[in-house]
Amino acid sequence: VPLVIGDVRVSAAHVVARQLGDAVDLVAAEHGRPSLLTVIHPDDLSPHGRRQIEAALDTDLPVRWASRAAVSIHEALDRGEVAVGDVVAALHVGGASCVATVWALTPTPRRLAVVSGDGSCAGGALDDLVGRSVDAHEGVDPAALRASCEEAKSALSTQTSVDVGVGETRVRLVRTELEELSAPLVERRLDTLAEALRVAEVEPAALRTVLLSGGGASAPCVVEAIGARFATPARLMTRRASAID
C-alpha cells in the first residue's frame, strides 16, 4: 500500500530502504564505513516484500537478513537457554502486530510455521482500552493521553501501580486493573500461538520454551497465561529482538 507524503505517492519499501540508507550514513559518519548491513525484520515479512525493499535499497554493502524470531533464538542459544534439537515457539506482540512462529532448532534453525494475528490483539489495542478507562476529563489531548497510557502499560510490567497523566490530573492504575482489561487480548494472542503450533503440527508438550518479544508480550500475565495454557515456560528476550514492529 503506497504512502502519500505531501503530494507524492511513495511505496512502503522505498520508505524502509531510505531509513536503512540513513542508518548506514549515520554509522559511517560517526564510526566509519560499516562492512555489513544486517536487517532485522518482522517475522511475517513476505518474500515479495523483501524483494521490494532490496530493489529500492541503494547500497553496495552486503546485506544480511534476519527475522526477529531468529535473533531471539540465536540469543537464547548463546545463553544456553535452548539447544540444538529443541523445538521452540516465538511470540512477538508489538504496537500494531502479533506474530507467532514455531522453529526446529537444527544446526541452522528451521521455521516450521508463521501466523499473524489481527490488530485486535496487538499492543495498540490495549493502549486504547487503557485510554478509555482513564479518560474521564474533557479537553484532554488524545495523542498525549495515548503516550501516557503506553508509558503506564510498560511501567506496570515491573511495578504494581502507576500514575497516568490525564491533562493536569494524575489517575492511579494498578496492575490487576490492567490485567483485567487485557485478559481478552491475551487470550487472542495465545490463540495466535496455538494456531502456529497447529500449522506446524507440533504439540505444546514438545516445546522447550516460548520466546517473547515486543512491549505487548512483556507483561507478567502473558508469561503466566502461556504457562497455564501450554504447560511450557516463556522467556522475555532482549529489546534488540523487540525493536522492529
Side-chain angles (χ1 to χ4, degrees), residues 12-14 16-17 20 37 39 41-42 44-57 62-67 111:
H14 278 84
V16 173
L20 293 173
L37 172 61
V39 181
H41 59 81
D44 55 352
L45 176 66
S46 68
H48 175 67
R50 172 173 164 174
R51 287 193 297 269
Q52 285 187 312
I53 297 171
E54 289 175 327
L57 190 58
V63 181
R64 179 175 63 188
W65 296 78
S67 74
R111 192 174 73 185

Side-chain angles (χ1 to χ4, degrees), residues 18-86:
R18 178 62 181 270
Q19 290 177 318
L20 293 173
D22 288 347
V24 170
D25 292 342
L26 179 62
V27 171
E30 295 187 0
H31 305 285
R33 179 175 169 78
S35 59
L36 174 69
L37 172 61
T38 299
V39 181
I40 301 174
H41 59 81
D43 299 292
D44 55 352
L45 176 66
S46 68
H48 175 67
R50 172 173 164 174
R51 287 193 297 269
Q52 285 187 312
I53 297 171
E54 289 175 327
L57 190 58
D58 183 18
T59 182
D60 57 359
L61 291 176
V63 181
R64 179 175 63 188
W65 296 78
S67 74
R68 183 192 294 112
V71 172
S72 292
I73 288 169
H74 283 291
E75 290 181 358
L77 284 166
D78 289 344
R79 293 198 294 264
E81 295 171 346
V82 297
V84 172
D86 289 339

Side-chain angles (χ1 to χ4, degrees), residues 91-221:
L91 178 66
H92 175 85
V93 184
S97 63
C98 175
V99 183
T101 54
V102 181
W103 297 74
L105 300 193
T106 54
T108 300
R110 181 168 56 92
R111 192 174 73 185
L112 304 177
V114 55
V115 172
S116 300
D118 61 37
S120 68
C121 61
L126 179 56
D127 296 334
D128 293 338
L129 289 175
V130 174
R132 287 196 292 270
S133 73
V134 301
D135 184 12
H137 306 271
E138 296 182 0
V140 175
D141 176 31
L145 175 60
R146 186 178 183 85
S148 294
C149 291
E150 290 176 357
E151 293 176 3
K153 182 185 67 176
S154 298
L156 286 173
S157 295
T158 57
Q159 302 175 33
T160 58
S161 64
V162 66
D163 290 335
V164 181
V166 182
E168 297 180 355
T169 304
R170 309 297 292 180
V171 177
R172 176 59 58 94
L173 182 68
V174 299
R175 183 188 291 175
T176 54
E177 294 173 334
L178 181 68
E179 291 176 347
E180 290 176 2
L181 286 171
S182 65
L185 279 67
V186 170
E187 194 64 23
R188 290 199 289 273
R189 293 166 187 171
L190 269 56
D191 289 343
T192 303
L193 178 57
E195 177 63 11
L197 291 171
R198 187 195 66 79
V199 172
E201 299 182 341
V202 170
E203 293 295 326
L207 288 177
R208 171 70 179 273
T209 190
V210 178
L211 307 176
L212 302 175
S213 61
S218 62
C221 62

